[in-house]
Amino acid sequence: MSSHAIEISLLGRTYSIACPQGQEEALQHVAQNLEKQLSSLKTRTNNLSREEIAIMAALNIGYELLEEQQKNQDYIQQMDDKIGLLQSTLENALVERSTKDD
């Protein structure tokens, strides 16, 4: 898959970023969300450098990702439990049916 550069703007600076063909919209969306978070941090913490703001944003995004991963793991566990219960119920019903047929 080929890539080409697209421009994004973060905290008033423009960056040229290599982007795979067809992923431009996704990268723009991510850049817009990052810009919102960077701007919010800059407003709340005027005395931080660009680097410190970027680190804080990365930590916030990392935390949000960790929370979502935990939610997914919890959901997967719930579904596994429900599937196990369903399998057990079906097996019991089949056993009951086979004993009634005898």
Side-chain angles (χ1 to χ4, degrees), residues 9-88:
S9 181
L10 300 170
L11 291 179
R13 287 193 182 167
T14 300
Y15 300 90
S16 183
I17 306 293
C19 180
Q21 201 78 24
Q23 297 298 313
E24 299 86 357
E25 190 175 321
L27 180 57
Q28 288 290 349
H29 181 72
V30 168
Q32 288 169 359
N33 288 339
L34 179 56
E35 173 64 16
K36 286 178 190 173
Q37 192 155 129
L38 292 170
S39 296
S40 174
L41 285 167
K42 185 177 180 182
T43 301
R44 288 183 285 157
T45 57
N46 284 331
N47 58 341
L48 293 181
S49 69
R50 284 180 182 272
E51 181 180 270
E52 291 169 322
I53 291 170
I55 290 169
M56 293 296 294
L59 289 170
N60 287 341
I61 292 166
Y63 180 73
E64 290 170 6
L65 175 62
L66 183 65
E67 282 185 317
E68 289 302 315
Q69 288 172 334
Q70 186 59 52
K71 285 179 191 177
N72 285 341
Q73 287 301 317
D74 292 346
Y75 179 76
I76 289 169
Q77 185 60 52
Q78 288 174 1
M79 291 301 104
D80 285 346
D81 292 347
K82 288 180 181 182
I83 289 169
L85 179 60
L86 182 57
Q87 285 175 329
S88 176

